[in-house]
Amino acid sequence: MDSALSDPHNGSAEAGGPANGKTRPPSTPEGIALAYGSLLLMALLPIFFGALRSVRCARGKNASDMPETITSRDAARFPIVASCALLGLYLFFKIFSQEYINLLLSMYFFVLGILALSHTISPFMNKFFPVNFPNRQYQLLFTQGSGENKEEIINYEFDTKDLVCLGLSSIVGVWYLLRKHWIANNLFGLAFSLNGVELLHLNNVSTGCILLGGLFIYDVFWVFGTNVMVTVAKSFEAPIKLVFPQDLLEKGLEADNFAMLGLGDVVIPGIFIALLLRFDISLKKNTHTYFYTSFAAYIFGLGLTIFIMHIFKHAQPALLYLVPACIGFPILVALAKGEVTEMFSYESSAEILPHTPRLTHFPTVSGSPASLADSMQQKLAGPRRRRPQNPSAIYEESSPKDPAAVTESKEGTEASASKGLEKKEK
């Protein structure tokens, strides 16, 4: 996953620029400020709205929108898998023709981009449909095998409104496929980022620290140690990065001197910020302290990245600055509020939602294993009794009884049974 913030050097010919080898004219300070500010805004939008949608996704019952939970084992493996994928792409670009590789990747991301953009705009588009819109339900089902061995491969439910959103997204997809325009690239990139923050859930804060810590090392190594990440980012013609031209004021929409931000710098901190929002909600204090703290930390970290990149005129590993900010600031707040234990014991996969009953304590059980087994067998063998409605009666029924009272109850039951037999004989 590309995760570098890159700034083309003013006056240099780089990927995406003129093919005749002529140097670009220097970008104006206004153009540079516009490009950096736009990248920052584009990074914040999917994090903010994706975090909000991740809460609804965790509460939802729709199988097609169920989140993918990242465990600590997944987090530990991810930097290794990402490194192998990045190095593989780098070798492919060195060995094979860049044109054919990008053609295959363009077709692949064309399909993924349409689906991601359709899922992104669907909640917004539903507000514009009239009440009497003829909305029909559909189901796409692929199965494998037959009879008892049949298993579902794809089971996706959608309606007419989803088809309309799919058609609109297809227009953007065709535009991107034919022109590779930077606006179409950003639309797909924003959709990928928002869907990633919404549907990828960390199971706890410790897993988030493992993931961000591993990718911190990954990002620093591949940006500072080698030229692999920057080369792949400039050669890879796919919507895996957000771009904005620094010469927009001079050339308009046909500008080609781009500053770029990898989607990894948006999605990876974004899923951690979304986790802290769900943690805020689990506290049930009607405050979003940790969410706003981590969100402000992300703004600070990305702003610091842009500043250092502009000073040194070299691509920067954004996670070098984002990871300490996004982890450190919330932990400092937790230390100040005395909620560090609650933060690290929170489990997103078993989060307490408003409509979910919470077990606050466990009943105590005493006695030897043999006596417990006997009592369970007697309860299973005996007839079921109606549960008394009076709380005091519940307590009396569940509390241990005096042996004498048990004997008296047994004698009373035998006496009533003998009286019943005498009446029947008479």
Side-chain angles (χ1 to χ4, degrees):
M1 178 180 290
D2 174 58
S3 185
L5 183 61
S6 178
D7 173 26
H9 298 207
N10 292 334
S12 64
E14 296 188 5
N20 55 9
K22 295 181 180 180
T23 59
R24 296 189 182 97
S27 301
T28 61
E30 294 81 4
I32 295 175
L34 178 62
Y36 290 160
S38 299
L39 284 178
L40 179 60
L41 179 62
M42 286 191 293
L44 295 178
L45 288 176
I47 292 178
F48 185 83
F49 290 104
L52 295 178
R53 290 175 60 159
S54 74
V55 177
R56 292 194 293 268
C57 179
R59 296 175 179 177
K61 302 296 183 181
N62 190 356
S64 60
D65 293 336
M66 291 300 292
E68 183 73 22
T69 303
I70 301 175
T71 64
S72 58
R73 179 176 296 180
D74 300 327
R77 292 175 178 174
F78 190 81
I80 301 174
V81 175
S83 297
C84 294
L86 182 66
L87 185 59
L89 285 173
Y90 178 78
L91 295 176
F92 266 101
F93 281 119
K94 290 294 184 181
I95 297 173
F96 301 102
S97 173
Q98 179 176 329
E99 180 181 358
Y100 295 112
I101 296 176
N102 281 322
L103 179 61
L104 293 175
L105 293 174
S106 297
M107 296 300 298
Y108 176 70
F109 281 97
F110 167 75
V111 177
L112 289 183
I114 290 175
L115 296 176
L117 187 58
S118 175
H119 181 266
T120 300
I121 67 175
S122 180
F124 302 103
M125 291 299 298
N126 288 336
K127 300 178 182 179
F128 297 98
F129 287 104
V131 180
N132 57 352
F133 182 81
N135 192 31
R136 296 183 179 180
Q137 300 292 327
Y138 302 94
Q139 184 178 18
L140 182 63
L141 180 63
F142 283 96
T143 60
Q144 181 179 4
S146 60
E148 296 180 354
N149 297 325
K150 182 184 292 186
E151 59 176 315
E152 294 182 356
I153 300 176
I154 298 176
N155 187 0
Y156 187 77
E157 297 180 358
F158 56 96
D159 53 26
T160 309
K161 295 179 181 179
D162 295 326
L163 292 178
V164 174
C165 295
L166 192 66
L168 295 175
S169 303
S170 300
I171 297 174
V172 179
V174 173
W175 181 27
Y176 170 78
L177 195 63
L178 297 178
R179 297 290 304 276
K180 294 292 191 301
H181 200 275
W182 60 272
I183 296 180
N185 174 91
N186 287 342
L187 289 175
F188 277 169
L190 290 171
F192 286 139
S193 301
L194 191 145
N195 280 273
V197 176
E198 176 188 0
L199 299 176
L200 293 176
H201 288 194
L202 296 166
N203 63 348
N204 53 50
V205 175
S206 299
T207 300
C209 294
I210 294 172
L211 179 65
L212 268 67
L215 290 177
F216 172 88
I217 300 173
Y218 157 89
D219 211 16
V220 171
F221 173 77
W222 289 113
V223 174
F224 285 154
T226 67
N227 66 338
V228 171
M229 184 175 290
V230 177
T231 302
V232 171
K234 295 176 180 178
S235 305
F236 202 86
E237 293 182 2
I240 61 167
K241 54 186 177 291
L242 301 174
V243 298
F244 200 89
Q246 299 183 5
D247 53 348
L248 179 67
L249 300 178
E250 292 80 20
K251 297 184 178 181
L253 296 180
E254 299 303 321
D256 56 5
N257 185 18
F258 295 105
M260 63 185 69
L261 176 67
L263 296 189
D265 299 327
V266 180
V267 176
I268 299 303
I271 60 178
F272 186 76
I273 295 172
L275 171 69
L276 294 180
L277 174 60
R278 298 193 297 274
F279 170 64
D280 277 326
I281 294 175
S282 71
L283 294 177
K284 299 180 180 180
K285 295 182 179 180
N286 296 324
T287 59
H288 296 158
T289 305
Y290 295 100
F291 171 68
Y292 290 129
T293 300
S294 57
F295 195 74
Y298 181 86
I299 297 174
F300 170 78
L302 190 57
L304 182 61
T305 307
I306 293 173
F307 173 76
I308 294 178
M309 181 187 65
H310 182 68
I311 295 297
F312 291 97
K313 304 296 181 183
H314 188 276
Q316 295 293 315
L319 293 181
L320 174 64
Y321 311 97
L322 290 173
V323 169
C326 292
I327 293 180
F329 283 28
I331 290 180
L332 289 177
V333 172
L335 286 171
K337 300 182 67 175
E339 295 177 344
V340 176
T341 304
E342 290 83 350
M343 173 184 285
F344 281 90
S345 62
Y346 168 71
E347 289 286 339
S348 180
S349 57
E351 55 194 351
I352 307 300
L353 298 175
H355 61 273
T356 307
R358 182 172 182 175
L359 182 63
T360 56
H361 66 280
F362 293 92
T364 57
V365 180
S366 60
S368 63
S371 62
L372 291 175
D374 293 337
S375 63
M376 289 297 295
Q377 290 178 359
Q378 292 175 3
K379 289 182 179 179
L380 291 174
R384 295 184 178 180
R385 299 180 181 178
R386 292 185 62 185
R387 183 178 296 176
Q389 300 299 323
N390 188 3
S392 60
I394 296 176
Y395 176 79
E396 293 174 0
E397 182 179 346
S398 60
S399 59
K401 294 182 179 180
D402 182 59
V406 173
T407 305
E408 292 175 1
S409 175
K410 186 176 180 181
E411 292 175 355
T413 304
E414 292 176 353
S416 60
S418 60
K419 290 181 180 179
L421 290 174
E422 290 175 1
K423 291 181 181 180
K424 187 175 181 181
E425 289 176 355
K426 292 180 179 180

